[in-house]
Amino acid sequence: MQLNTIKPASGAKHAKRRVGRGIGSGLGKTAGRGHKGQKSRAGGYHKVGFEGGQMPLQRRLPKRGFKSALLKYNGEVTLGELQALEMVEVSLAALKAAGLVARNVKNVKVIKSGELSKKVALVGIGATAGAKAAIEAAGGSLA
């Protein structure tokens, strides 16, 4: 192989379509836009969802649902993650330092997933009913 024999893969390069360049090109006169109408005009087209003046679908359907902006500040930790954590007293700052929750999290809740056999004291952290029972069964506490 030499530099002068290298060429792009077949079909990788193709000539740009040049419209409005005479009858011989096959795309002269109306340049592939057809005759008259909104789509033939310069700058003339409809917005996304436009249905020719009919009430658009996104406006005909009812509004539904709600997603709280506060959800991004909530985090969760499993019992299995607490078991792997080498701490007796667990707080929000400790979980952030360990990388178990994101930096912008303000509220953390422990969920019952995995096993917990060591004693853990939670400070300023909530827990589900099942997780609370599992923590207390292992000799831990919630403050």
Side-chain angles (χ1 to χ4, degrees):
M1 184 194 306
Q2 282 100 20
L3 285 174
N4 66 335
T5 62
I6 296 173
K7 61 180 188 176
S10 63
K13 298 189 68 85
H14 54 90
K16 188 169 179 265
R17 178 178 291 148
R18 296 187 71 218
V19 297
R21 289 294 176 269
I23 197 168
S25 70
L27 288 168
K29 194 188 172 206
T30 56
R33 286 173 173 259
H35 292 278
K36 298 188 184 172
Q38 187 179 24
K39 292 201 282 190
S40 73
R41 317 274 182 211
Y45 209 64
H46 56 78
K47 61 185 176 211
V48 175
F50 185 68
E51 297 183 17
Q54 172 176 296
M55 188 61 69
L57 183 67
Q58 74 269 23
R59 290 190 61 197
R60 289 197 303 260
L61 298 176
K63 293 197 276 185
R64 190 166 179 277
F66 171 75
K67 187 159 183 167
S68 174
L70 299 174
L71 285 176
K72 62 185 173 185
Y73 301 116
N74 295 339
E76 57 185 38
V77 179
T78 64
L79 290 175
E81 289 170 338
L82 284 181
Q83 177 72 28
L85 203 60
E86 299 297 325
M87 290 181 196
V88 178
E89 194 171 285
V90 179
S91 66
L92 179 59
L95 291 173
K96 285 182 180 181
L100 290 178
V101 293
R103 292 268 174 218
N104 64 347
V105 166
K106 293 189 172 95
N107 302 314
V108 176
K109 200 173 221 184
V110 179
I111 58 171
K112 187 183 177 208
S113 177
E115 298 294 321
L116 182 68
S117 57
K118 68 176 191 175
K119 186 178 175 179
V120 175
L122 299 181
V123 180
I125 294 175
T128 62
K132 186 177 180 182
I135 290 165
E136 289 171 346
S141 64
L142 284 91

